[in-house]
Amino acid sequence: MLLAMPALWYLATCWCSTSGGKTTWRQVSYLTWGVLQERVMTRSYGATATWAGERFTDSQFLVLMNRVLALIVAGVYCLLCKQPRHGAPMYRYSFASLSNVLSSWCQYEALKFVSFPTQVLAKASKVIPVMLMGKLVSRRSYEHWEYLTAGLISIGVSMFLLSSGPEPRSSPATTLAGLILLAGYIAFDSFTSNWQDALFAYKMSSVQMMFGVNFFSCLFTVGSLLEQGALLEGTRFMGRHSEFAAHALLLSVCSACGQLFIFYTIGQFGAAVFTIIMTLRQAFAILLSCLLYGHTITVVGGLGVAVVFAALLLRVYARGRLKQRGKKAVPVESPVQKV
């Protein structure tokens, strides 16, 4: 089973482009980000023999740190390196930023009201909603086989995650409020990537996109934290615990690196390809957990991997056939007969 995963990863990158290196680095940065996020949000800081320590609970403060560092990285890069002439109105970035903030809020809030299997199924099934949103936002059209393979990938990843991922003991029961929040998360998240995809029509670079989106994200997040009075509390917690400050900084670095590859992927290959890669990332995260902590991969999980493998093979085959048809469809000028 473990030997099949590198081949699956190769197929996942080969049908979208030859930039497997960039995609692999993005996966590494976000896998590291996931491990650090779990450490920051679930462990105590400052524990001693007589005191259990305290936990950091404000995820929005971490989001702000991620956005600020990403904004600085993108800004410095734009100043040092020549960029295309910027033609997009600045306010258009605010739509992607606002939908991204709302998506994150719905995702975190939904975790309180839905069960673990429901969370997994929702996250693994985002490909189809992203494709449908693409038809509305950027007027993209997809072939029938693209919908079929997207559905197969969602099914296969769901099978693998549900069977191989250990369910948390405190997983809540699914409620109507949780389902509504999950629907909001999927809708806003689908809009975000497709709106960013549409913005690339202005011929901007991925770094310019990163700067514009994070600029408005910082404004929205700071406003929310100030309204809640949580900005100063997060800063004080960082001052009390230097280990937390180091973890938060490394978390932000991983997030900024991941964003560079995210905007590159969306700009080059579109929102649907990006969502499929991010869906597969969840399977790699579970696989990494199995390797590190000795979790077993069940028969159902193996079948899920096989379904994803078959779907990616089908995509490679279908794209190859389309390229061959495109070459054959090029008209050849017939020789002019001289009379």
Side-chain angles (χ1 to χ4, degrees):
M1 177 59 61
L2 297 182
L3 294 176
M5 295 306 291
L8 187 151
W9 173 243
Y10 169 76
L11 287 170
T13 53
C14 127
W15 58 260
C16 63
S17 76
T18 58
S19 62
K22 294 184 177 67
T23 310
T24 302
W25 278 111
R26 181 174 58 76
Q27 296 284 7
V28 169
S29 64
Y30 266 102
L31 284 174
T32 308
W33 178 82
V35 172
L36 282 172
Q37 186 185 45
E38 182 178 357
R39 167 64 182 88
V40 169
M41 298 301 294
T42 61
R43 304 292 179 88
S44 298
Y45 288 94
T48 62
T50 58
W51 186 48
E54 57 180 334
R55 290 188 178 185
F56 185 77
T57 57
D58 191 355
S59 59
Q60 200 170 27
F61 183 81
L62 291 177
V63 171
L64 176 62
M65 289 194 62
N66 295 345
R67 297 291 184 263
V68 169
L69 184 62
L71 179 67
I72 294 173
V73 170
V76 171
Y77 188 91
C78 287
L79 289 174
L80 297 180
C81 302
K82 186 177 181 181
Q83 299 294 310
R85 182 180 178 86
H86 188 268
M90 282 299 293
Y91 75 89
R92 286 184 170 268
Y93 294 105
S94 65
F95 300 144
S97 298
L98 181 58
S99 63
N100 187 32
V101 170
L102 291 174
S103 170
S104 299
W105 181 83
C106 288
Q107 180 183 12
Y108 282 117
E109 289 300 312
L111 297 180
K112 304 174 184 176
F113 304 105
V114 295
S115 64
F116 177 75
T118 307
Q119 298 171 30
V120 170
L121 290 173
K123 291 181 179 181
S125 304
K126 285 195 306 181
V127 184
I128 298 297
V130 166
M131 296 173 73
L132 295 176
M133 187 67 74
K135 295 176 70 69
L136 295 175
V137 174
S138 50
R139 306 298 180 187
R140 281 184 173 268
S141 59
Y142 297 97
E143 301 289 340
H144 294 298
W145 60 266
E146 292 182 285
Y147 286 107
L148 173 63
T149 53
L152 288 175
I153 289 173
S154 298
I155 293 172
V157 172
S158 298
M159 292 170 61
F160 177 74
L161 295 180
L162 289 174
S163 62
S164 302
E167 181 172 350
R169 296 177 182 176
S170 58
S171 178
T174 301
T175 63
L176 178 61
L179 293 177
I180 293 174
L181 287 169
L182 269 183
Y185 157 66
I186 293 174
F188 287 125
D189 193 66
S190 300
F191 175 84
T192 300
S193 56
N194 277 290
W195 187 259
Q196 291 167 351
D197 189 12
L199 280 178
F200 277 109
Y202 287 97
K203 308 300 181 185
M204 69 183 70
S205 71
S206 57
V207 181
Q208 288 173 319
M209 170 74 77
M210 180 175 171
F211 180 87
V213 171
N214 281 286
F215 174 77
F216 283 100
S217 294
C218 287
L219 293 181
F220 291 138
T221 309
V222 166
S224 176
L225 287 171
L226 288 175
E227 190 273 333
Q228 299 172 29
L231 183 59
L232 289 177
E233 179 56 35
T235 306
R236 293 193 188 104
F237 190 94
M238 183 180 295
R240 291 195 300 269
H241 304 288
S242 58
E243 185 185 10
F244 167 78
H247 287 164
L249 178 60
L250 187 55
L251 193 71
S252 300
V253 170
C254 292
S255 177
C257 293
Q259 283 193 49
L260 285 171
F261 301 129
I262 281 175
F263 290 121
Y264 174 84
T265 303
I266 293 175
Q268 293 294 318
F269 316 115
V273 169
F274 162 70
T275 305
I276 290 175
I277 294 175
M278 293 300 286
T279 301
L280 292 175
R281 179 180 68 88
Q282 298 178 61
F284 282 99
I286 295 296
L287 178 65
L288 184 62
S289 175
C290 293
L291 291 174
L292 292 177
Y293 304 112
H295 302 308
T296 58
I297 300 177
T298 64
V299 175
V300 176
L303 288 175
V305 172
V307 170
V308 175
F309 202 98
L312 293 175
L313 277 174
L314 180 58
R315 290 186 75 96
V316 172
Y317 173 76
R319 286 184 179 275
R321 291 293 300 271
L322 281 179
K323 288 181 180 179
Q324 290 180 357
R325 289 180 184 177
K327 292 179 181 179
K328 293 179 180 179
V330 175
V332 180
E333 295 184 1
S334 58
V336 180
Q337 294 182 355
K338 294 183 179 181
V339 180

